[in-house]
Amino acid sequence: MKKIFMIGLLALSFISCNKDDGYEAVVNERLDFVVPANFPAPAQDIEHNYPTQKGFELGRKLFYDTRLSANNTISCSFCHEQENAFTHHGHTFSHGIYDQEGTRNAPAVQNMAFQSQYFYDGASDAIDMLSIAPIHNPVEMDETLENIAVKLKQDKEYVKLFNQAFEGGQITSGNILKALGQFMTMMVSANSKYDKFVRSEPPGNNFNQKEMQGLELFRQKCASCHATDIFTDSSFRNNGLPPNPNLNDLGRETVTGFKRDRYKFKVPSLRNVELTAPYMHDGRFGSLESVLNFYRNGMTDSETLDEQLRAEDGTLGIPLTDEEKEALIAFLKTLTDEEYINNPLFYYQT
């Protein structure tokens, strides 16, 4: 069976011994980043920080390390669990340091190199910089990159890993971010039932009647926003979700300051959506059926409502019968990528 995404086993050749630190230097091979046949081109220029074997391994270790938080209790993986496509499954709002509760639901970490904007409000547009936000957020990790570097310098294993991963081998804020960026660049989910179907890979031609019906409905009613096989256009839209009165979350306006962006949130990818409940930026819906019920008859009007959700007669929403909802859900479940959520390359035993 053809593997569209694979991190190969790379041979490491020992070439010298650094007498100053006692560590053997290694050839740090570039990893094989392959764009799946049904994917668009990456939205990030990964050549600026191309993943290497040692950079990836370092980023993975950092992703699972609680020392990235102020009191050494919260890691990136705390809110991004692999078995749920790296989301905080079951939590309406993600919990952070000192058992504080945030104001948004943790988004999935997958296919990050193919996205141009990150977070529900687009607070970052660079894969190598996005980790700053959760690290510095007082409710999430409440730490600084400078303090993290100080902590890691006390660990001989990290000193060795940074030495192998980066020219100069320094444990710096920039290299910490680069390592995390390399790890996330390689986190590609592209081997779901849907992927095998559109690429005609065995057993790809096995959509049942309901899944096929759901695919056609999706293309008609959903694909304008959940575009391409990344299933997001990385845009920000007001989908008519009634504002949560307890949060006063203005969405994209928080970043731009423009009133025209009020209540606009990033269109999420629908890959692995079966695994990533609860849904919406504030996690208010616990099931896919609830989400579709909202799109059918739960929207509220406002000045920034996306016009695609307003019919010519002024009515709001996406018309769906109960049968069509069932078909759409059947299709959405074909986006579950079991290989991704079970890939040992993305797991680190602390």
Side-chain angles (χ1 to χ4, degrees):
M1 181 177 69
K2 183 180 178 183
K3 282 296 275 188
I4 293 298
F5 171 68
M6 177 179 68
I7 302 175
L9 293 176
L10 300 174
L12 297 176
S13 302
F14 291 94
I15 60 174
S16 68
C17 180
N18 187 323
K19 294 181 180 179
D20 294 331
D21 57 24
Y23 296 124
E24 291 181 312
V26 298
V27 174
N28 187 19
E29 300 281 357
R30 284 163 63 103
L31 292 177
D32 187 18
F33 179 83
V34 179
V35 178
N38 55 315
F39 272 33
Q44 299 287 318
D45 183 1
I46 66 171
E47 287 295 333
H48 288 303
N49 182 32
Y50 194 91
T52 63
Q53 179 72 31
K54 290 302 180 181
F56 171 85
E57 291 174 358
L58 174 58
R60 177 177 59 193
K61 181 176 173 64
L62 288 167
F63 189 86
Y64 286 90
D65 197 328
T66 59
R67 281 174 287 184
L68 269 63
S69 64
N71 66 352
N72 304 322
T73 63
I74 305 294
S75 67
C76 302
S77 64
F78 180 79
C79 289
H80 299 283
E81 301 166 340
Q82 183 173 6
E83 64 183 358
N84 298 112
F86 293 95
T87 60
H88 209 185
H89 178 69
H91 292 266
T92 301
F93 305 123
S94 293
H95 292 259
I97 197 168
Y98 315 124
D99 200 31
Q100 294 181 93
E101 189 175 69
T103 59
R104 290 177 180 167
N105 181 254
V109 180
Q110 56 188 358
N111 301 328
M112 304 295 275
F114 297 91
Q115 300 180 45
S116 59
Q117 304 281 347
Y118 304 105
F119 306 113
Y120 288 110
D121 56 13
S124 178
D125 61 3
I127 194 170
D128 299 334
M129 300 299 288
L130 68 88
S131 298
I132 294 174
I135 288 172
H136 285 202
N137 190 308
V139 177
E140 295 185 51
M141 303 174 89
D142 194 32
E143 186 55 289
T144 67
L145 289 162
E146 293 79 6
N147 285 344
I148 294 170
V150 170
K151 287 189 262 186
L152 300 186
K153 287 176 182 177
Q154 311 307 311
D155 187 318
K156 291 183 178 179
E157 178 68 15
Y158 268 120
V159 173
K160 180 181 74 172
L161 290 173
F162 274 89
N163 185 63
Q164 293 175 341
F166 296 109
E167 185 176 354
Q170 297 299 307
I171 300 179
T172 64
S173 298
N175 284 342
I176 291 169
L177 292 173
K178 285 181 179 179
L180 287 167
Q182 288 186 30
F183 177 58
M184 289 185 286
T185 293
M186 298 304 294
M187 296 172 75
V188 177
S189 176
N191 282 305
S192 66
K193 183 178 183 179
Y194 166 82
D195 293 302
K196 293 175 171 60
F197 174 77
V198 297
R199 295 194 301 250
S200 299
E201 295 175 8
N205 299 317
N206 64 341
F207 266 24
N208 61 38
Q209 183 177 358
K210 191 168 287 292
E211 291 166 343
M212 281 300 301
Q213 180 189 4
L215 172 58
E216 292 305 313
L217 285 166
F218 182 86
R219 289 171 173 169
Q220 296 167 19
K221 298 176 182 285
C222 311
S224 58
C225 298
H226 297 284
T228 77
D229 280 358
I230 304 301
F231 291 93
T232 176
D233 61 1
S234 287
S235 67
F236 300 89
R237 300 174 186 265
N238 178 350
N239 66 349
L241 195 69
N244 188 320
N246 298 318
L247 297 179
N248 192 32
D249 192 336
L250 301 180
R252 180 66 169 160
E253 184 184 356
T254 303
V255 172
T256 67
F258 298 134
K259 190 175 179 180
R260 64 173 178 267
D261 289 327
R262 182 164 297 181
Y263 304 138
K264 292 183 179 180
F265 295 89
K266 184 188 172 186
V267 176
S269 171
L270 297 181
R271 283 192 166 271
N272 293 301
V273 70
E274 177 186 10
L275 308 175
T276 61
Y279 305 107
M280 302 296 173
H281 68 274
D282 59 2
R284 71 177 63 187
F285 298 128
S287 68
L288 291 172
E289 183 177 9
S290 296
V291 172
L292 294 181
N293 286 339
F294 157 73
Y295 278 114
R296 182 168 68 174
N297 55 23
M299 295 181 190
T300 58
D301 201 354
S302 69
E303 292 181 7
T304 60
L305 179 70
D306 196 290
E307 287 302 315
Q308 294 191 68
L309 299 172
R310 192 192 311 273
E312 291 184 4
D313 63 1
T315 58
L316 307 181
I318 301 174
L320 290 169
T321 66
D322 288 343
E323 180 185 356
E324 288 174 332
K325 284 195 306 177
E326 291 179 7
L328 274 173
I329 291 173
F331 165 69
L332 291 173
K333 289 182 177 181
T334 71
L335 302 181
T336 300
D337 183 353
E338 295 289 340
E339 292 182 32
Y340 182 66
I341 64 171
N342 291 295
N343 192 332
L345 289 167
F346 302 135
Y347 178 72
Y348 182 82
Q349 181 68 53
T350 55

